Amino acid sequence: MLNAHNVTVSFAGEDLFSGITFKLDAGNRVGLVGKNGAGKSTLLKIIANEQEYDKGTLALEKNIKIGFLKQDIDFIFGRTVLEEAYQAFTEIKKVEQQLEQVNVALVERTDYESESYHQLMVDLSDLTHRFELIGGYNYQGDTEKILQGLGFKREDFNQLTDTFSGGWRMRIELAKLLLQNNDILLLDEPTNHLDIESIIWLEDFLKNYSGAIMLVSHDKMFLDNVTNRTIEISLGKIYDYKYNYSKYLVQRKELKEKQLQSQKNQEKEIKHTEQLIEKFRAKANKASMAQSLIKKLNKVERIEVDADDNAVMKVRFSVSVNPGKVVVETENLAKNYGDKQVLNNVNLLIERNSKIAFVGQNGQGKTTLAKIIVNEIPYYGHLKLGHNVQIGYFAQNQAEYLDGEKTVLQTMEDASTDGNRVKVRDMLGAFLFSGDDVEKKVKVLSGGERNRLALCKMLLSPFNVLVMDEPTNHLDIASKNVLKQALKNFKGTLIVVSHDRDFLQGLTNTVYEFKDGYIKEYLGDIDYYLQEHNIENLREVEKRTKEVKVVAATKSNNKNNREKEKQLRQVQNKLSRIENEIADLEKEIAEIDKKLSDADQYDQLTSQPQFFENYQAKKDKIDRLMLEWENIHEALEN
């Protein structure tokens, strides 16, 4: 489908990457990874023919259609959801407009016998035929079906896109790509702005996509669930493996170890040969042998070990002053946008040193509550901040507030005070802006670099409560890991809005789910929250079986019925034990899966005797228990 050969791109005389060669075939689901600024988005733009390259060739098969989902979506204000989705049908809309013009002309004209009027009739026939061929009579129905599949309700179709959050706008853009029937999908950080439910939907769609996919993502779990191939751009080169991200890391590490060992062995042989040359060179009868060894040595192709870009930012969040025990308290807090009630009667008490995650679908009020806490938008009800509370706020679109015409250094100096201005260069160095990097204008930075700068700028102000809205958007995996560790070490209070499961794991101790204007508390991290949702159906079953028991008890009017009631209790108890056993096994498997996704624990775990047999046995036992549960439940209903 696509063949790239020796592609090179340069900026300001320096190669961003050089000599990149790869093929893309149907069924390839490629994860394009690398540090911020390595050139991932640039490569996608080149493939999409939105940016030129300096050297090499890029060949596509004939009539290949490419769909490109960019990091930042530019919506034209004033369009409805349907109108925006219809932008997918460029040719259909063009022919539709031409048909309208011809029909208007036919109504207005009266020179029925003229040649120009006859030509209009011919044009009408040709355009109508073309309109039918390209699906003009079906596109509206197809659009509505896809939008509904992506979670939109029919009453949303005529709402302006301006009123929807970034995640819902991303779904409209995805709908446009699906409606175009593209052969190659290029997705630049598609999970930015998407909630967890949307990400899971996107994973399922991409796993069943028949064309080729190349996607940039810093969501490790998303990469592992979707991709079957990984291409890393590092220090201007690419490394291409037919594995998902976690397996790729293992293979990359093994390759590095083999290269190091081979290099060590080669250096040992070279040293030995050089010693022989010195020994034979001094003897006249051995001079020819020395020359032969020199020629042999010159022909040796030296083994090089792939260089790694191990530079990571250094982040430390310090507590300014110690606040009171209660840092945030709300009572009957509410917020609406026009007729849409986003938050309703929210009663919340956040204590000092809490680590809290806000999760839920897009548009359910997570960002709204974060903005209310930092006093950015008006609301109804009561909100009180505790004694000595100082809030540091990282907005979802924090990087957009940076002035593109300023340099990195100017951005920091303008935000600094007399007390911390002397530390600005050291702070920038900790966030990987060193040397000439500080003189770059903000507008030339990648999305991840802008986010790093925004984080660095935030540290110029004192705080003891951190409110962070999607802080990992655009950050590479190494930077995300550093940020996560810094937040875990933070001694203050943390409120984080995020859709990134991997980032949230082990970071917070409380999860608040936002749904239908209300919030629900889960005392645990994101794994506990997801586990609770996975077994929600079993709880519904338990509720139904209790109702069966009540109905049966009301009919126990004689000895025979009492005996049946006793049997019913026994079966009910057995059903309850099975449900508990299933829940325990699912929890064990979830913990094992979590360890398997960690490259450091994978080898240690799988080296245990009969690990895979025991792991499969747990899954088989769940299947047997579920079958037994179904049989018992059917008997109960009868």
Side-chain angles (χ1 to χ4, degrees), residues 4 195 232 277 298 397 441 514 551 592 598:
D195 53 58
E232 180 187 16
I277 290 170
N298 289 336
N397 56 344
K441 287 196 172 183
F514 287 64
V551 171
I592 294 172
D598 186 339

Side-chain angles (χ1 to χ4, degrees), residues 542-554:
E542 185 178 353
K543 181 181 176 182
R544 285 199 300 272
T545 52
K546 285 178 180 177
E547 291 171 355
V548 170
K549 179 180 176 181
V550 171
V551 171
T554 59

Side-chain angles (χ1 to χ4, degrees), residues 70-89:
K70 302 175 187 176
Q71 276 187 25
D72 302 307
I73 305 169
D74 295 324
F75 272 81
I76 295 176
F77 288 94
R79 284 179 182 162
T80 66
V81 171
L82 272 181
E83 287 169 345
E84 184 61 47
Y86 288 159
Q87 301 306 308
F89 305 100

Side-chain angles (χ1 to χ4, degrees), residues 68-70 73-75 84 150 168-178 180:
F68 185 20
L69 184 71
K70 302 175 187 176
I73 305 169
D74 295 324
F75 272 81
E84 184 61 47
L150 286 170
W168 285 102
R169 290 184 185 181
M170 184 71 79
R171 293 193 203 197
I172 299 172
E173 198 68 15
L174 280 169
K176 287 156 67 175
L177 291 179
L178 302 188
Q180 288 169 347

Side-chain angles (χ1 to χ4, degrees), residues 105-171:
L106 286 172
V107 170
E108 293 176 348
R109 297 274 291 269
T110 56
D111 52 337
Y112 309 122
E113 302 300 326
S114 67
E115 186 175 332
S116 58
Y117 191 89
H118 175 71
Q119 185 59 47
L120 282 174
M121 296 295 292
V122 173
D123 291 344
L124 179 64
S125 177
D126 291 344
L127 288 169
T128 302
H129 181 62
R130 180 63 186 161
F131 191 68
E132 184 177 3
L133 279 177
I134 59 178
Y137 294 111
N138 302 320
Y139 82 94
Q140 292 179 334
D142 291 342
T143 301
E144 292 183 11
K145 187 164 69 174
I146 290 292
L147 286 172
Q148 287 177 314
L150 286 170
F152 287 93
K153 298 175 183 175
R154 188 167 289 278
E155 53 264 33
D156 296 328
F157 291 169
N158 293 316
Q159 297 292 321
L160 294 177
T161 58
D162 321 6
T163 63
F164 287 86
S165 65
W168 285 102
R169 290 184 185 181
M170 184 71 79
R171 293 193 203 197

Side-chain angles (χ1 to χ4, degrees), residues 627-638:
L627 182 62
E628 186 177 359
W629 178 89
E630 288 173 3
N631 292 334
I632 293 173
H633 187 257
E634 184 177 353
L636 276 171
E637 289 182 332
N638 292 333

Side-chain angles (χ1 to χ4, degrees), residues 506-571:
L507 177 61
T508 62
N509 50 33
T510 305
V511 173
Y512 283 109
E513 179 189 40
F514 287 64
K515 190 173 183 181
D516 299 330
Y518 298 93
I519 62 174
K520 182 178 179 181
E521 184 181 46
Y522 292 82
L523 297 176
D525 73 350
I526 193 66
D527 286 336
Y528 173 76
Y529 165 77
L530 292 174
Q531 177 188 325
E532 288 294 293
H533 276 255
N534 287 338
I535 63 172
E536 203 167 52
N537 288 334
L538 285 178
R539 291 185 174 183
E540 288 297 317
V541 168
E542 185 178 353
K543 181 181 176 182
R544 285 199 300 272
T545 52
K546 285 178 180 177
E547 291 171 355
V548 170
K549 179 180 176 181
V550 171
V551 171
T554 59
K555 296 180 180 179
S556 302
N557 297 321
N558 51 46
K559 185 178 179 180
N560 187 41
N561 281 344
R562 284 195 296 273
E563 183 63 25
K564 285 184 179 180
E565 184 181 0
K566 181 181 178 181
Q567 292 174 1
L568 188 64
R569 277 199 303 271
Q570 290 173 345
V571 174

